[in-house]
Amino acid sequence: MTEFYFVRHGKTRFNLERRFQGGQCDSPLLSESLRDAKKVGDYFKAQGQNFDAWYTSPQKRAWQTGQVIVDQLTQDLVAQPLDGLREIEFGTWDGQKLADFAGTADLKNYLEKPSQYDPAVNGGESYPEFLARANAALAEIYQQHPQGKVLISAHAVLISFLTKSKIGINLDAVRPAGLVANTSVTVLETDNFENFTMPVWNLTDFLK
């Protein structure tokens, strides 16, 4: 069995300002996020978790969060960045405030009807395109660790939609349950990369 331990990056300035923060932009982690990332690492250490590898989005907010977590462990894990783990791309929306698009059909589709969202409006990625490259990255990790336990530091939309899609939840049913929180842990398991279970979703108890 392969166990994928996904951790969303810590809260950033753009998160605080409610701006789009996709696959081609970054903003600094807040100081509280570094403390929260340390708590994730402490939680893994207390649980006796030993990872075979650490993969990360190449975006700084995810990589930095993962590094703080790894620094708390007794293992010497080296970051293995994968482009496929980048957040969904928003094109010209990246860095803009969501409020600037309030009431538009395009934003409504992005948030409420992903199957109808057309990225031609901003030059970004469609959900199917995004999930295809995220799934390819996950498949690459699985091929390297068919019987392993892997840490993955990534992003809200990627973790939420990728994990839910692997357990058979369709695009339009993901957001109503909410996206994963900053510095949360979600666990996905598989024996064959065809059938998946998700024993842990959006765990944040250790942050209290």
Side-chain angles (χ1 to χ4, degrees):
M1 175 182 290
T2 300
E3 299 172 87
F4 304 99
Y5 280 71
F6 291 90
V7 179
R8 182 187 173 188
H9 63 77
K11 184 178 290 186
T12 67
R13 180 167 57 83
F14 276 12
N15 289 148
L16 194 64
E17 297 173 354
R18 293 189 53 76
R19 294 178 182 270
F20 285 101
Q21 187 173 219
Q24 296 299 325
C25 79
D26 248 320
S27 69
L29 291 174
L30 305 180
S31 57
E32 69 189 63
S33 299
L34 300 176
R35 294 192 294 271
D36 286 345
K38 184 178 182 297
K39 290 178 182 179
V40 179
D42 290 341
Y43 166 74
F44 285 148
K45 187 175 181 180
Q47 294 290 311
Q49 299 288 5
N50 286 303
F51 297 102
D52 296 292
W54 163 38
Y55 290 84
T56 185
S57 160
Q59 294 180 263
K60 186 176 180 180
R61 60 188 184 272
W63 194 325
Q64 186 177 9
T65 298
Q67 188 63 65
V68 173
I69 293 169
V70 167
D71 286 346
Q72 311 313 309
L73 306 179
T74 56
Q75 303 172 258
D76 186 18
L77 296 173
V78 178
Q80 299 185 60
L82 288 179
D83 270 348
L85 296 176
R86 286 180 176 273
E87 183 60 293
I88 188 171
E89 294 189 11
F90 296 120
T92 57
W93 284 4
D94 249 338
Q96 305 299 311
K97 288 188 174 181
L98 273 73
D100 293 342
F101 302 91
T104 65
D106 293 319
L107 181 62
K108 184 178 178 66
N109 284 342
Y110 168 72
L111 293 175
E112 300 177 15
K113 300 178 181 178
S115 62
Q116 298 180 34
Y117 169 63
D118 184 357
V121 67
N122 57 29
E125 287 180 296
S126 69
Y127 277 94
E129 290 170 334
F130 160 65
L131 278 175
R133 56 99 165 160
N135 188 63
L138 195 67
E140 181 179 341
I141 296 171
Y142 173 75
Q143 289 166 5
Q144 294 298 318
H145 307 279
Q147 296 295 325
K149 183 180 292 186
V150 180
L151 175 64
I152 300 174
S153 49
H155 308 272
V157 179
L158 184 138
I159 295 171
S160 301
F161 278 82
L162 179 59
T163 58
K164 291 290 184 73
S165 73
K166 301 309 285 185
I167 60 170
I169 297 176
N170 68 47
L171 283 176
D172 292 340
V174 174
R175 276 190 181 270
L179 302 182
V180 293
N182 293 105
T183 48
S184 63
V185 174
T186 295
V187 181
L188 195 65
E189 299 176 340
T190 184
D191 285 318
N192 52 19
F193 210 73
E194 293 180 6
N195 303 301
F196 289 79
T197 57
M198 190 167 63
V200 178
W201 161 257
N202 197 29
L203 180 67
T204 57
D205 293 353
F206 46 80
L207 297 178
K208 298 175 182 177

